[in-house]
Amino acid sequence: MEIKKNKITAILGIDTNLNIDEEKLEFDFLKSIKMIDYLKNKFNNLNKEKINEALKICLLNETDKQKPLNVLSSNEIEKLELAIKLLENREMIILSDFEINFLNREFNYFKNLFKKMVTKYNKTVVFITNDLTKIMDIIDFILVVENKTVVLELNAKNIYYDKIYDYVDMPEIINFVKLAKKNHAELEDYTDINELIKGIFRSV
């Protein structure tokens, strides 16, 4: 499986072993140690300021730092896992179902963060997911995996390609645009709801 460097890729399919590191962290998160103490132990070669900076970037505050790992919410766990990846300074940031644990406002912050990581810091971001809804406006490439084999590989500009949706549910905005076009509406292949609304007003 080839993943493009310095790009944002969505891998659709749950039978991939790319998220093995997150599975290992799940055992750590059963412990009652405080978040900040866990990170100090895990990254004893880094100073406190570096750790605090990563937590701040991932929207974890002073109260969160004092929480035991085994009481963290799914949202807080996703943020902590991301902070760990930043502290490890990985070239590839792999995120498994990351988007499902955030409301739109907070996730929009992370989308901007991921774009900055790619454009400014030459990172590679990979979403492992079965839902394109929240990420379709930031991804560059799509890989569809079945039985650990890539069955589709395409540029995200082709997100309206019907074959993708033999494997995952079609985002509502794409379904809407496709139905509208069947009824002779002159709409572009929108992935942003605000742009879709503007396009509808222009077409009437």
Side-chain angles (χ1 to χ4, degrees):
M1 183 187 303
E2 181 182 357
I3 297 172
K4 306 290 185 183
K5 290 185 177 181
N6 310 135
K7 299 292 182 181
I8 302 177
T9 297
I11 297 180
L12 309 179
I14 59 173
D15 54 351
T16 172
N17 59 5
L18 284 175
N19 58 345
I20 190 168
D21 290 330
E22 288 188 9
E23 292 172 359
K24 289 178 181 177
L25 285 173
E26 288 178 3
F27 291 102
D28 285 350
F29 295 161
L30 297 175
K31 300 174 183 177
S32 58
I33 186 172
K34 291 180 180 179
M35 180 191 297
I36 190 63
D37 293 333
Y38 169 76
L39 291 175
K40 286 178 179 177
N41 291 339
K42 187 176 182 68
F43 298 101
N44 54 24
N45 59 319
L46 299 178
N47 59 43
K48 182 175 68 175
E49 289 73 22
K50 189 77 172 176
I51 292 173
N52 286 334
E53 180 185 9
L55 292 173
K56 183 178 180 180
I57 289 172
C58 295
L59 303 183
L60 291 164
N61 59 33
E62 293 298 325
T63 301
D64 297 327
K65 295 176 191 178
Q66 301 304 318
K67 291 180 180 178
L69 297 182
N70 60 354
V71 303
L72 297 179
S73 67
S74 297
N75 175 286
E76 291 162 343
I77 287 173
E78 294 291 355
K79 292 174 181 176
L80 178 55
E81 287 178 345
L82 179 58
I84 289 170
K85 290 165 186 173
L86 296 182
L87 289 168
E88 291 173 340
N89 197 25
R90 298 189 184 187
E91 290 187 6
M92 182 180 294
I93 307 295
I94 299 173
L95 306 159
S96 182
D97 291 325
F98 182 88
E99 72 285 350
I100 67 175
N101 292 296
F102 297 92
L103 297 175
N104 286 338
R105 181 176 179 181
E106 200 170 45
F107 190 65
N108 285 338
Y109 163 83
F110 283 107
K111 287 201 292 188
N112 289 328
L113 175 63
F114 297 140
K115 286 189 283 189
K116 184 177 180 180
M117 288 165 59
V118 169
T119 57
K120 189 172 181 180
Y121 298 105
N122 296 319
K123 300 291 185 182
T124 300
V125 177
V126 177
F127 289 96
I128 300 174
T129 183
N130 279 309
D131 188 353
L132 287 168
T133 302
K134 286 188 175 181
I135 60 172
M136 59 185 174
D137 58 339
I138 63 164
I139 56 176
D140 301 299
F141 294 96
I142 298 170
L143 298 177
V144 180
V145 176
E146 188 175 51
N147 298 323
K148 295 186 170 61
T149 300
V150 177
V151 293
L152 276 179
E153 181 175 0
L154 61 161
N155 192 296
K157 292 178 181 178
N158 299 311
I159 199 166
Y160 272 68
Y161 181 47
D162 284 331
K163 191 69 176 175
I164 298 170
Y165 306 106
D166 290 344
Y167 301 92
V168 295
D169 290 338
M170 183 180 293
E172 289 183 11
I173 187 173
I174 294 178
N175 187 50
F176 175 86
V177 171
K178 283 180 174 288
L179 289 173
K181 286 183 174 181
K182 286 182 180 178
N183 289 299
H184 311 293
E186 295 183 4
L187 294 175
E188 297 178 17
D189 290 348
Y190 291 105
T191 57
D192 180 276
I193 187 64
N194 294 319
E195 293 302 316
L196 171 60
I197 293 170
K198 293 176 186 176
I200 291 172
F201 278 111
R202 285 194 296 266
S203 66
V204 295

